Protein backbone atom coordinates (compact mmCIF):
# COMPACT_ATOMS: atom_id res chain seq x y z
CA UNK A 1 0.00 0.00 0.00
CA UNK A 2 2.86 2.31 0.97
CA UNK A 3 4.72 1.42 -2.26
CA UNK A 4 1.68 2.40 -4.39
CA UNK A 5 1.42 5.69 -2.50
CA UNK A 6 5.11 6.48 -3.11
CA UNK A 7 4.78 5.63 -6.79
CA UNK A 8 1.77 7.97 -7.04
CA UNK A 9 3.78 10.75 -5.46
CA UNK A 10 6.69 10.12 -7.84
CA UNK A 11 4.34 10.24 -10.86
CA UNK A 12 2.94 13.59 -9.70
CA UNK A 13 6.47 14.95 -9.32
CA UNK A 14 7.38 13.81 -12.85
CA UNK A 15 4.19 15.29 -14.24
CA UNK A 16 4.92 18.56 -12.42
CA UNK A 17 8.46 18.66 -13.84
CA UNK A 18 7.19 17.97 -17.38
CA UNK A 19 4.48 20.69 -17.09
CA UNK A 20 7.04 23.17 -15.72
CA UNK A 21 9.47 22.44 -18.56
CA UNK A 22 6.62 22.80 -21.07
CA UNK A 23 5.64 26.18 -19.62
CA UNK A 24 9.27 27.38 -19.62
CA UNK A 25 9.70 26.23 -23.22
CA UNK A 26 6.51 28.05 -24.23
CA UNK A 27 7.72 31.19 -22.47
CA UNK A 28 11.05 30.96 -24.27
CA UNK A 29 9.49 30.46 -27.71
CA UNK A 30 6.94 33.26 -27.33
CA UNK A 31 9.05 35.71 -25.34
CA UNK A 32 9.51 37.94 -28.42
CA UNK A 33 5.75 38.53 -28.55
CA UNK A 34 5.14 39.67 -24.99
CA UNK A 35 8.42 40.25 -23.10
CA UNK A 36 10.19 43.61 -23.24
CA UNK A 37 13.29 43.57 -25.46
CA UNK A 38 15.83 46.12 -24.23
CA UNK A 39 18.50 45.30 -26.82
CA UNK A 40 19.59 48.12 -29.17
CA UNK A 41 17.30 48.59 -32.19
CA UNK A 42 19.24 47.77 -35.35
CA UNK A 43 16.78 49.31 -37.81
CA UNK A 44 17.95 51.39 -40.78
CA UNK A 45 16.09 54.73 -40.36
CA UNK A 46 13.06 55.30 -42.59
CA UNK A 47 13.00 58.28 -45.01
CA UNK A 48 16.73 58.99 -44.53
CA UNK A 49 19.51 58.79 -47.11
CA UNK A 50 21.51 55.56 -47.18
CA UNK A 51 24.95 56.19 -48.66
CA UNK A 52 27.70 53.78 -49.62
CA UNK A 53 27.02 53.10 -53.31
CA UNK A 54 28.96 54.71 -56.15
CA UNK A 55 26.10 56.09 -58.25
CA UNK A 56 22.99 55.82 -56.09
CA UNK A 57 21.60 57.10 -52.80
CA UNK A 58 18.91 54.84 -51.32
CA UNK A 59 15.98 55.83 -49.10
CA UNK A 60 14.08 53.16 -47.13
CA UNK A 61 10.39 54.04 -47.43
CA UNK A 62 8.62 51.05 -45.87
CA UNK A 63 9.16 47.52 -44.53
CA UNK A 64 6.26 45.14 -43.87
CA UNK A 65 5.91 41.50 -42.78
CA UNK A 66 3.06 39.01 -43.02
CA UNK A 67 3.54 36.16 -40.50
CA UNK A 68 0.82 34.11 -42.22
CA UNK A 69 2.69 33.63 -45.51
CA UNK A 70 6.15 34.56 -44.08
CA UNK A 71 6.52 37.31 -46.68
CA UNK A 72 8.38 40.61 -46.29
CA UNK A 73 8.00 43.62 -48.57
CA UNK A 74 10.63 46.36 -48.64
CA UNK A 75 10.08 49.60 -50.58
CA UNK A 76 13.21 51.56 -51.48
CA UNK A 77 13.52 54.87 -53.30
CA UNK A 78 16.57 55.29 -55.54
CA UNK A 79 18.19 58.65 -56.27
CA UNK A 80 20.77 58.65 -59.08
CA UNK A 81 23.51 60.88 -57.68
CA UNK A 82 26.41 59.74 -59.87
CA UNK A 83 27.66 60.85 -63.28
CA UNK A 84 27.14 57.63 -65.25
CA UNK A 85 24.97 58.16 -68.32
CA UNK A 86 23.50 54.67 -67.92
CA UNK A 87 21.89 54.15 -64.53
CA UNK A 88 23.04 51.03 -62.64
CA UNK A 89 21.04 47.87 -61.96
CA UNK A 90 20.67 46.13 -58.59
CA UNK A 91 20.66 42.64 -57.12
CA UNK A 92 19.48 41.60 -53.65
CA UNK A 93 20.27 39.10 -50.93
CA UNK A 94 18.64 38.73 -47.49
CA UNK A 95 20.15 37.13 -44.37
CA UNK A 96 19.04 36.60 -40.79
CA UNK A 97 21.41 38.12 -38.24
CA UNK A 98 21.19 35.30 -35.68
CA UNK A 99 20.64 32.30 -37.93
CA UNK A 100 22.88 33.53 -40.78
CA UNK A 101 20.32 31.83 -43.00
CA UNK A 102 19.79 33.24 -46.50
CA UNK A 103 16.23 33.99 -47.62
CA UNK A 104 15.07 34.37 -51.24
CA UNK A 105 14.97 38.09 -52.18
CA UNK A 106 13.73 39.40 -55.52
CA UNK A 107 12.60 42.66 -57.08
CA UNK A 108 8.88 42.46 -57.89
CA UNK A 109 8.37 46.03 -59.12
CA UNK A 110 10.47 48.95 -60.36
CA UNK A 111 9.52 52.40 -61.60
CA UNK A 112 11.68 55.47 -62.33
CA UNK A 113 12.81 55.82 -58.73
CA UNK A 114 11.07 53.12 -56.64
CA UNK A 115 11.91 49.44 -56.12
CA UNK A 116 9.76 46.90 -54.27
CA UNK A 117 11.63 43.84 -52.98
CA UNK A 118 10.06 40.66 -51.60
CA UNK A 119 11.87 38.48 -49.04
CA UNK A 120 10.28 35.04 -48.79
CA UNK A 121 10.14 32.23 -46.19
CA UNK A 122 11.08 34.49 -43.26
CA UNK A 123 10.23 32.56 -40.03
CA UNK A 124 8.04 34.25 -37.42
CA UNK A 125 10.82 34.03 -34.80
CA UNK A 126 13.15 36.30 -36.82
CA UNK A 127 14.62 39.30 -35.04
CA UNK A 128 16.91 41.17 -37.44
CA UNK A 129 17.08 40.82 -41.25
CA UNK A 130 19.84 42.30 -43.39
CA UNK A 131 18.96 43.17 -47.01
CA UNK A 132 22.14 43.42 -49.11
CA UNK A 133 21.66 45.79 -52.08
CA UNK A 134 24.41 45.47 -54.71
CA UNK A 135 24.88 48.16 -57.36
CA UNK A 136 26.03 46.97 -60.81
CA UNK A 137 27.42 49.73 -63.02
CA UNK A 138 27.49 49.46 -66.81
CA UNK A 139 30.53 47.45 -68.04
CA UNK A 140 31.24 49.84 -70.93
CA UNK A 141 31.46 52.81 -68.56
CA UNK A 142 33.72 50.89 -66.17
CA UNK A 143 36.01 49.88 -69.06
CA UNK A 144 36.27 53.50 -70.24
CA UNK A 145 37.14 54.62 -66.69
CA UNK A 146 39.75 51.87 -66.39
CA UNK A 147 41.25 52.86 -69.75
CA UNK A 148 41.50 56.53 -68.67
CA UNK A 149 43.27 55.44 -65.48
CA UNK A 150 45.77 53.46 -67.58
CA UNK A 151 46.34 56.43 -69.89
CA UNK A 152 47.07 58.66 -66.88
CA UNK A 153 49.65 56.17 -65.65
CA UNK A 154 52.78 56.73 -67.82
CA UNK A 155 54.33 53.43 -66.71
CA UNK A 156 51.46 51.34 -68.09
CA UNK A 157 50.75 50.88 -71.79
CA UNK A 158 47.27 51.72 -73.04
CA UNK A 159 45.04 48.71 -73.67
CA UNK A 160 42.21 48.33 -76.11
CA UNK A 161 38.79 48.56 -74.41
CA UNK A 162 37.67 45.18 -75.74
CA UNK A 163 40.83 43.53 -74.31
CA UNK A 164 40.12 44.67 -70.75
CA UNK A 165 39.03 41.71 -68.60
CA UNK A 166 36.09 41.84 -66.23
CA UNK A 167 38.47 40.85 -63.40
CA UNK A 168 40.35 44.14 -64.03
CA UNK A 169 37.25 46.20 -63.31
CA UNK A 170 36.24 47.32 -59.79
CA UNK A 171 33.88 44.99 -57.93
CA UNK A 172 30.23 46.09 -57.49
CA UNK A 173 29.60 48.05 -54.29
CA UNK A 174 26.86 47.11 -51.83
CA UNK A 175 25.09 48.43 -48.75
CA UNK A 176 23.08 46.63 -46.07
CA UNK A 177 19.60 47.84 -45.20
CA UNK A 178 18.67 46.40 -41.81
CA UNK A 179 15.18 45.53 -40.57
CA UNK A 180 14.45 45.06 -36.84
CA UNK A 181 11.26 43.20 -35.88
CA UNK A 182 10.32 46.05 -33.52
CA UNK A 183 10.33 48.56 -36.39
CA UNK A 184 8.89 46.39 -39.17
CA UNK A 185 5.14 46.80 -39.64
CA UNK A 186 3.04 43.63 -39.36
CA UNK A 187 0.57 43.44 -42.26
CA UNK A 188 -1.49 40.25 -42.32
CA UNK A 189 -2.97 41.24 -45.70
CA UNK A 190 0.41 41.52 -47.43
CA UNK A 191 0.53 39.55 -50.69
CA UNK A 192 2.21 39.87 -54.09
CA UNK A 193 0.39 42.42 -56.26
CA UNK A 194 0.19 43.42 -59.92
CA UNK A 195 2.47 46.08 -61.47
CA UNK A 196 -0.49 48.44 -61.69
CA UNK A 197 -1.25 48.01 -57.97
CA UNK A 198 2.38 48.67 -57.02
CA UNK A 199 2.49 51.70 -59.31
CA UNK A 200 -0.70 53.08 -57.76
CA UNK A 201 0.67 52.44 -54.26
CA UNK A 202 3.97 54.19 -55.09
CA UNK A 203 2.19 57.26 -56.54
CA UNK A 204 -0.28 57.54 -53.63
CA UNK A 205 2.53 57.19 -51.06
CA UNK A 206 4.56 59.83 -52.89
CA UNK A 207 1.55 62.18 -52.94
CA UNK A 208 0.99 61.70 -49.20
CA UNK A 209 4.66 62.43 -48.53
CA UNK A 210 4.55 65.60 -50.69
CA UNK A 211 1.36 66.72 -48.93
CA UNK A 212 3.00 66.20 -45.53
CA UNK A 213 6.09 68.14 -46.62
CA UNK A 214 3.94 71.06 -47.81
CA UNK A 215 2.01 70.99 -44.53
CA UNK A 216 5.23 71.03 -42.47
CA UNK A 217 6.59 74.03 -44.40
CA UNK A 218 3.34 76.04 -44.22
CA UNK A 219 2.33 75.14 -40.63
CA UNK A 220 5.74 74.95 -38.96
CA UNK A 221 8.75 76.24 -40.90
CA UNK A 222 7.37 79.54 -42.25
CA UNK A 223 5.56 80.51 -38.97
CA UNK A 224 8.81 79.81 -37.05
CA UNK A 225 10.76 82.19 -39.31
CA UNK A 226 8.00 84.82 -39.08
CA UNK A 227 8.03 84.57 -35.29
CA UNK A 228 11.82 84.89 -35.34
CA UNK A 229 11.56 88.05 -37.48
CA UNK A 230 9.02 89.54 -35.07
CA UNK A 231 11.27 88.81 -32.06
CA UNK A 232 14.37 90.20 -33.77
CA UNK A 233 12.49 93.35 -34.85
CA UNK A 234 11.37 94.00 -31.24
CA UNK A 235 14.92 93.46 -29.97
CA UNK A 236 16.28 95.81 -32.65
CA UNK A 237 13.75 98.54 -31.68
CA UNK A 238 14.58 98.08 -28.00
CA UNK A 239 18.31 98.47 -28.71
CA UNK A 240 17.67 101.66 -30.71
CA UNK A 241 15.70 103.13 -27.80
CA UNK A 242 18.48 102.27 -25.35
CA UNK A 243 21.09 104.11 -27.45
CA UNK A 244 19.66 107.46 -26.32
CA UNK A 245 21.04 106.88 -22.80
CA UNK A 246 24.37 105.28 -23.76
CA UNK A 247 27.89 106.57 -24.10
CA UNK A 248 29.54 106.71 -27.54
CA UNK A 249 31.45 103.51 -26.86
CA UNK A 250 28.27 101.73 -25.77
CA UNK A 251 26.43 103.08 -28.81
CA UNK A 252 29.14 101.65 -31.10
CA UNK A 253 28.64 98.20 -29.54
CA UNK A 254 24.86 98.56 -29.73
CA UNK A 255 25.05 99.47 -33.42
CA UNK A 256 27.00 96.26 -34.01
CA UNK A 257 24.25 94.31 -32.24
CA UNK A 258 21.58 96.07 -34.33
CA UNK A 259 23.47 95.14 -37.52
CA UNK A 260 23.51 91.51 -36.38
CA UNK A 261 19.74 91.64 -35.83
CA UNK A 262 19.24 93.19 -39.29
CA UNK A 263 21.32 90.45 -40.92
CA UNK A 264 19.42 87.77 -39.02
CA UNK A 265 16.11 89.32 -40.15
CA UNK A 266 17.32 89.35 -43.80
CA UNK A 267 18.37 85.70 -43.51
CA UNK A 268 14.98 84.75 -42.07
CA UNK A 269 13.19 86.62 -44.89
CA UNK A 270 15.32 84.81 -47.48
CA UNK A 271 14.50 81.52 -45.76
CA UNK A 272 10.76 82.28 -46.02
CA UNK A 273 11.10 83.04 -49.75
CA UNK A 274 13.01 79.78 -50.22
CA UNK A 275 10.24 77.90 -48.39
CA UNK A 276 7.60 79.54 -50.58
CA UNK A 277 9.49 78.51 -53.72
CA UNK A 278 9.76 74.99 -52.34
CA UNK A 279 5.99 74.87 -51.69
CA UNK A 280 5.34 76.00 -55.27
CA UNK A 281 7.67 73.30 -56.58
CA UNK A 282 6.04 70.64 -54.36
CA UNK A 283 2.53 71.64 -55.49
CA UNK A 284 3.59 71.25 -59.13
CA UNK A 285 5.06 67.86 -58.23
CA UNK A 286 1.80 66.89 -56.48
CA UNK A 287 -0.28 67.93 -59.52
CA UNK A 288 2.04 65.89 -61.73
CA UNK A 289 1.54 62.79 -59.55
CA UNK A 290 -2.21 63.41 -59.54
CA UNK A 291 -2.28 63.43 -63.36
CA UNK A 292 -0.13 60.30 -63.41
CA UNK A 293 -2.52 58.52 -61.03
CA UNK A 294 -5.54 59.62 -63.06
CA UNK A 295 -3.93 58.29 -66.26
CA UNK A 296 -3.20 54.99 -64.48
CA UNK A 297 -6.72 54.57 -63.08
CA UNK A 298 -8.55 55.94 -66.15
CA UNK A 299 -6.49 55.04 -69.24
CA UNK A 300 -9.58 55.46 -71.42
CA UNK A 301 -9.54 59.23 -70.78
CA UNK A 302 -5.98 59.57 -72.00
CA UNK A 303 -6.79 57.42 -75.01
CA UNK A 304 -9.80 59.62 -75.80
CA UNK A 305 -7.60 62.73 -75.54
CA UNK A 306 -4.98 61.18 -77.80
CA UNK A 307 -7.66 60.22 -80.35
CA UNK A 308 -9.28 63.64 -80.12
CA UNK A 309 -5.99 65.46 -80.70
CA UNK A 310 -5.27 63.95 -84.16
CA UNK A 311 -8.84 64.81 -85.25
CA UNK A 312 -8.33 68.42 -84.25
CA UNK A 313 -4.95 68.42 -85.96
CA UNK A 314 -6.42 66.98 -89.13
CA UNK A 315 -9.21 69.58 -89.05
CA UNK A 316 -6.65 72.36 -88.60
CA UNK A 317 -4.54 71.02 -91.48
CA UNK A 318 -7.66 70.74 -93.66
CA UNK A 319 -8.67 74.33 -92.86
CA UNK A 320 -5.12 75.48 -93.52
CA UNK A 321 -5.01 73.75 -96.92
CA UNK A 322 -8.42 75.19 -97.80
CA UNK A 323 -7.25 78.66 -96.82
CA UNK A 324 -4.05 78.27 -98.83
CA UNK A 325 -6.09 77.07 -101.84
CA UNK A 326 -8.35 80.14 -101.66
CA UNK A 327 -5.31 82.37 -101.35
CA UNK A 328 -3.78 80.80 -104.48
CA UNK A 329 -7.08 81.19 -106.38
CA UNK A 330 -7.38 84.84 -105.33
CA UNK A 331 -3.75 85.45 -106.29
CA UNK A 332 -4.35 83.83 -109.70
CA UNK A 333 -7.50 85.94 -110.27
CA UNK A 334 -5.61 89.07 -109.31
CA UNK A 335 -2.76 88.11 -111.61
CA UNK A 336 -5.17 87.50 -114.52
CA UNK A 337 -6.93 90.76 -113.81
CA UNK A 338 -3.64 92.65 -113.83
CA UNK A 339 -2.67 90.95 -117.12
CA UNK A 340 -6.01 91.92 -118.71
CA UNK A 341 -5.63 95.52 -117.59
CA UNK A 342 -2.09 95.57 -118.92
CA UNK A 343 -3.28 94.22 -122.31
CA UNK A 344 -6.06 96.83 -122.52
CA UNK A 345 -3.63 99.65 -121.77
CA UNK A 346 -1.23 98.33 -124.40
CA UNK A 347 -4.09 98.11 -126.93
CA UNK A 348 -5.18 101.69 -126.27
CA UNK A 349 -1.61 102.90 -126.67
CA UNK A 350 -1.23 101.10 -129.99
CA UNK A 351 -4.55 102.57 -131.26
CA UNK A 352 -3.34 106.07 -130.45
CA UNK A 353 -0.03 105.60 -132.17
CA UNK A 354 -1.52 104.32 -135.51
CA UNK A 355 -2.62 107.32 -137.77
CA UNK A 356 -6.21 107.30 -139.03
CA UNK A 357 -7.11 107.10 -142.74
CA UNK A 358 -8.37 110.71 -142.98
CA UNK A 359 -5.14 112.12 -141.70
CA UNK A 360 -3.24 110.21 -144.41
CA UNK A 361 -5.24 111.84 -147.26
Amino acid sequence: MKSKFNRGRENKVYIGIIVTLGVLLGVFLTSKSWMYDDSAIAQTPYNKSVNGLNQTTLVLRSWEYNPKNQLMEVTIETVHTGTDAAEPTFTFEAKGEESKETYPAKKVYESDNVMVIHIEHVPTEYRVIGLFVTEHRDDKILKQEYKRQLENDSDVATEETDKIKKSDLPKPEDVIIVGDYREIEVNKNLVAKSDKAYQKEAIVTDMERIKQEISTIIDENIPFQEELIATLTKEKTSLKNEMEFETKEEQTETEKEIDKKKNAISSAEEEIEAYKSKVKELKEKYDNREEKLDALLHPERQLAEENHEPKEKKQQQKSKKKHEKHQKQDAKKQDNKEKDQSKKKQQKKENKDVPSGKEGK
Side-chain angles (χ1 to χ4, degrees):
M1 185 75 179
K2 194 173 182 180
S3 178
K4 284 183 181 179
F5 179 74
N6 287 336
R7 279 201 299 273
R9 282 181 65 185
E10 284 175 2
N11 288 339
K12 285 180 181 178
V13 170
Y14 292 143
I15 291 166
I17 290 169
I18 291 167
V19 169
T20 303
L21 288 171
V23 170
L24 290 172
L25 185 64
V27 168
F28 175 74
L29 291 174
T30 61
S31 60
K32 190 175 83 172
S33 303
W34 59 274
M35 283 185 73
Y36 176 70
D37 185 352
D38 61 352
S39 62
I41 293 174
Q43 177 71 40
T44 295
Y46 290 101
N47 304 315
K48 300 285 183 184
S49 295
V50 178
N51 300 311
L53 299 178
N54 188 284
Q55 296 290 309
T56 316
T57 298
L58 304 179
V59 181
L60 177 61
R61 290 304 183 191
S62 66
W63 197 321
E64 296 181 344
Y65 175 63
N66 186 349
K68 289 181 181 178
N69 56 14
Q70 298 188 329
L71 176 68
M72 276 185 170
E73 185 175 278
V74 186
T75 304
I76 300 169
E77 184 179 332
T78 59
V79 183
H80 185 62
T81 50
T83 56
D84 286 2
E87 292 189 17
T89 57
F90 303 91
T91 54
F92 309 91
E93 185 181 16
K95 286 183 182 178
E97 187 185 56
E98 306 86 6
S99 64
K100 305 299 178 187
E101 189 177 347
T102 301
Y103 305 110
K106 61 180 180 181
K107 181 173 64 183
V108 293
Y109 172 75
E110 183 176 15
S111 68
D112 295 339
N113 62 337
V114 173
M115 296 187 296
V116 179
I117 297 94
H118 275 184
I119 306 171
E120 299 171 338
H121 312 312
V122 181
T124 52
E125 62 270 16
Y126 85 92
R127 282 181 173 267
V128 176
I129 297 287
L131 177 63
F132 293 75
V133 182
T134 305
E135 179 188 64
H136 301 272
R137 296 174 66 195
D138 186 78
D139 278 354
K140 289 178 182 177
I141 293 172
L142 290 173
K143 284 178 180 178
Q144 288 296 334
E145 280 186 5
Y146 182 70
K147 190 180 176 183
R148 279 197 293 271
Q149 285 176 2
L150 292 178
E151 287 171 355
N152 292 334
D153 189 347
S154 56
D155 297 329
V156 182
T158 305
E159 294 184 36
E160 293 296 326
T161 307
D162 55 356
K163 290 181 182 178
I164 298 170
K165 297 175 185 176
K166 190 149 188 171
S167 56
D168 296 328
L169 303 177
K171 290 181 179 179
E173 295 180 357
D174 64 12
V175 291
I176 307 172
I177 295 178
V178 182
D180 190 302
Y181 77 96
R182 289 163 291 183
E183 295 292 320
I184 293 172
E185 185 183 344
V186 174
N187 179 3
K188 292 180 180 179
N189 297 317
L190 178 65
V191 290
K193 295 185 278 284
S194 65
D195 277 4
K196 186 176 179 180
Y198 283 122
Q199 195 176 353
K200 179 189 171 185
E201 203 171 82
I203 294 169
V204 169
T205 303
D206 201 22
M207 286 172 71
E208 286 172 358
R209 192 164 51 251
I210 293 167
K211 204 172 181 181
Q212 181 58 48
E213 199 173 343
I214 291 170
S215 178
T216 301
I217 292 171
I218 292 172
D219 299 336
E220 295 177 25
N221 297 352
I222 290 177
F224 174 78
Q225 295 297 330
E226 288 174 340
E227 195 176 325
L228 180 63
I229 289 169
T231 303
L232 290 166
T233 304
K234 282 181 183 178
E235 289 174 358
K236 188 181 76 171
T237 305
S238 178
L239 287 168
K240 280 183 178 179
N241 293 336
E242 286 175 9
M243 284 180 73
E244 191 178 344
F245 310 100
E246 291 178 344
T247 63
K248 286 186 177 180
E249 286 181 5
E250 288 173 333
Q251 284 178 350
T252 302
E253 290 301 314
T254 303
E255 281 174 356
K256 287 179 182 178
E257 285 297 315
I258 289 169
D259 287 339
K260 285 180 184 177
K261 302 291 180 190
K262 283 180 180 177
N263 291 335
I265 289 168
S266 296
S267 296
E269 286 171 344
E270 286 173 9
E271 197 75 23
I272 288 171
E273 289 306 310
Y275 279 134
K276 285 178 179 178
S277 298
K278 182 67 176 175
V279 167
K280 188 180 177 182
E281 182 189 320
L282 287 168
K283 282 181 177 178
E284 287 174 2
K285 199 174 178 182
Y286 185 89
D287 291 342
N288 176 270
R289 299 296 182 276
E290 205 167 36
E291 286 174 13
K292 199 173 180 181
L293 182 63
D294 187 62
L296 179 70
L297 299 177
H298 306 287
E300 70 282 354
R301 291 180 187 172
Q302 193 175 9
L303 196 65
E305 284 176 11
E306 286 173 0
N307 290 336
H308 184 62
E309 192 178 334
K311 284 180 183 177
E312 284 185 344
K313 205 170 182 181
K314 282 180 183 178
Q315 189 65 37
Q316 286 173 358
Q317 286 175 346
K318 195 176 177 182
S319 299
K320 192 179 178 182
K321 282 181 181 178
K322 196 175 180 181
H323 181 67
E324 286 173 354
K325 189 179 177 182
H326 283 308
Q327 279 185 325
K328 283 179 182 178
Q329 286 175 347
D330 290 342
K332 195 174 181 181
K333 283 179 183 178
Q334 185 67 27
D335 189 47
N336 290 336
K337 191 177 179 182
E338 287 174 359
K339 282 179 180 178
D340 288 343
Q341 286 176 346
S342 179
K343 280 180 181 180
K344 284 178 181 178
K345 283 180 181 178
Q346 188 67 29
Q347 187 96 31
K348 283 181 180 179
K349 192 178 178 183
E350 286 175 0
N351 290 339
K352 281 181 181 179
D353 291 341
V354 176
S356 64
K358 289 178 183 178
E359 287 174 357
K361 286 177 184 176

